[in-house]
């Protein structure tokens, strides 16, 4: 070998050594970053329910950041979650369209839905692609009764929630000396309100309550004067309302203005009853209103952090934030269990797994054969002063109920 050949060989080895040292010092050059796991969030970002959609987005984004900051999906080499937002525009048809768009974007699953009508069309659309769909807070029983293997519901349904609400109502009334004997039901005439009213009509009489009338109204509604005039004439001890935010506020304010003072307002999934916007903007109308609704554990430090995040964004805290924070946590656990972003494997993991429920008071989330989380539990809240307090059950309560509020 010539001197020049030996010199070239030595330089080649030295260059190779430098290159190898550089690669060892920067392992990212040896190993590609794992592909992100795209997860769709279907919410009403525009339209009548835009406030709810925005609060849901904040909760989901908070959870995604926590998961990614903690190292991403460990089973996939630290793959990060990538949130893809779908806007249902607050109506069922647009919800189906947005689900199609999320499918085209290549998401591994869709979370959310918010309203029952939107969730019904969106889950049906997702089923055509075997796309996992986990519902956040839509409550119609029918959502999980259609045999759709892709569809799961994190929150309690109509029947589960009314069972809890009525049990707590009986306790509330008994503890106060049974001041409530007559009840008026006021509900929006869509799938949500009508379904809930039907269940209440079936169950209240057997518990010793006389239903004096059931009053339906359209959504949206711009005037509640006729409804309140009818309530004045009926003079029920208790009003059980079931409608969305704007209509709930309109009814409560009209009751206040017309000086109609029942002994209590006891909502089930009340659209404004568990909203700090209602409490802050109309404190007198909100005072004493009770609700049985989705609600995060008030004793969890994460609940306080989420509320601070919402407030810092100039918005009013409500249940949408903790429920979508928790739902994102459940999804991440399902992907870990599946060990894959494959849709079929995620469906299998959701169907057969048991998951921590984030900050929702559900204990362990476990879906039954229909896709319903049977451990889901609503909490009873009451507006007291400038705050919303949990009054039932005792394990989560941070205040005692004030009842009756009038009379």
């Amino acid at each position: 070998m010539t001197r020049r050949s030996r010199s070239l060989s030595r330089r080649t080895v030295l260059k190779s050594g430098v290159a190898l040292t550089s690669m060892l010092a920067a392992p990212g050059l040896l190993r590609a970053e794992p592909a992100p796991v795209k997860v769709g969030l279907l919410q009403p970002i525009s339209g009548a329910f835009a406030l709810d959609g925005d609060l849901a987005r904040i909760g989901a984004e908070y959870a995604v950041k926590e998961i990614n900051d903690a190292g991403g999906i460990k089973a996939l080499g630290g793959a990060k979650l990538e949130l893809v937002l779908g806007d249902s525009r607050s109506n069922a048809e647009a919800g189906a369209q947005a689900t199609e768009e999320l499918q085209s974007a290549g998401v591994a699953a869709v979370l959310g839905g918010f309203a029952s009508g939107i969730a019904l069309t969106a889950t049906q659309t997702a089923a055509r692609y075997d796309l996992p769909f986990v519902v956040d807070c839509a409550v119609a029983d029918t959502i999980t009764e259609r045999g759709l293997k892709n569809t799961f519901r994190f929150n309690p349904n109509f029947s589960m929630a009314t069972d809890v609400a009525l049990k707590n109502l009986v306790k509330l009334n008994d503890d106060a000396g049974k001041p409530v004997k007559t009840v008026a039901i006021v509900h929006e005439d869509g799938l949500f309100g009508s379904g809930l009213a039907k269940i209440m009509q079936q169950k209240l009489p057997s518990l010793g309550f006389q239903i004096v009338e059931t009053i339906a109204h359209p959504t949206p509604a711009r005037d509640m004067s006729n409804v309140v005039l009818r309530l004045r004439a009926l003079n029920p001890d208790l009003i059980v309302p079931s409608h969305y935010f704007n209509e709930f506020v309109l009814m409560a304010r009209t009751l206040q203005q017309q000086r109609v003072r029942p002994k209590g307002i006891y909502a089930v999934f009340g659209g404004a009853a568990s909203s700090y916007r209602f409490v802050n903007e109309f404190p007198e109308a909100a005072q004493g209103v009770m609700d049985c609704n989705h609600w995060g554990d008030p004793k969890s430090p994460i609940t306080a952090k989420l509320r601070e995040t919402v407030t810092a964004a100039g918005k009013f805290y409500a249940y949408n934030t903790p429920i979508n924070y928790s739902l994102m946590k459940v999804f991440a656990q399902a992907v870990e269990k599946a060990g894959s972003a494959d849709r079929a494997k995620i469906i299998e993991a959701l169907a057969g797994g048991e998951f921590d429920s984030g900050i929702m008071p559900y204990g362990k989330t476990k879906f039954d054969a229909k896709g319903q989380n049977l451990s889901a539990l609503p909490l009873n809240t009451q507006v007291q002063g400038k705050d919303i307090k949990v009054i039932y059950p005792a394990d989560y309560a941070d205040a005692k109920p004030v009842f009756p509020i009038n009379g």
Side-chain angles (χ1 to χ4, degrees), residues 186 215-217 223-232 251:
V186 183
I215 305 171
H217 66 80
D223 184 48
M224 283 282 185
S225 298
N226 289 339
V227 170
V228 171
L229 283 172
R230 184 60 184 153
L231 290 170
R232 178 191 289 279
M251 185 198 72

Side-chain angles (χ1 to χ4, degrees), residues 7 9 24 37 39 44 51 94 151-152 156 160 214 227 229 232:
S7 177
S9 299
L24 291 173
V37 178
V39 53
L51 173 65
T151 300
F152 303 85
M160 294 167 65
T214 300
V227 170
L229 283 172
R232 178 191 289 279

Side-chain angles (χ1 to χ4, degrees), residues 182 212 230-238 260-262:
T182 59
V212 293
R230 184 60 184 153
L231 290 170
R232 178 191 289 279
L234 293 166
N235 193 30
D237 295 324
L238 187 73
V260 177
R261 297 189 177 98

Side-chain angles (χ1 to χ4, degrees), residues 213-286:
E213 193 160 323
T214 300
I215 305 171
H217 66 80
T219 299
R222 291 181 168 77
D223 184 48
M224 283 282 185
S225 298
N226 289 339
V227 170
V228 171
L229 283 172
R230 184 60 184 153
L231 290 170
R232 178 191 289 279
L234 293 166
N235 193 30
D237 295 324
L238 187 73
I239 297 173
V240 175
S242 179
H243 31 220
Y244 294 107
F245 182 89
N246 291 336
E247 287 69 31
F248 194 106
V249 171
L250 189 57
M251 185 198 72
R253 292 187 67 200
T254 308
L255 286 170
Q256 179 199 5
Q257 291 161 1
Q258 298 297 326
R259 303 193 178 191
V260 177
R261 297 189 177 98
K263 293 174 182 176
I265 297 175
Y266 190 88
V268 183
F269 296 127
S274 296
S275 168
Y276 277 96
R277 179 184 173 190
F278 180 40
V279 176
N280 280 267
E281 293 183 351
F282 309 104
E284 292 183 16

Side-chain angles (χ1 to χ4, degrees), residues 81-119:
L81 292 184
E82 180 182 319
L83 195 64
V84 183
L85 202 58
D87 182 9
S88 69
R89 306 199 299 278
S90 300
N91 71 79
E93 183 180 350
Q97 293 170 353
T99 304
E100 291 277 3
E101 292 167 4
L102 291 171
Q103 146 69 18
S104 298
V107 299
V110 178
L111 313 181
F114 175 61
S116 293
I118 297 171

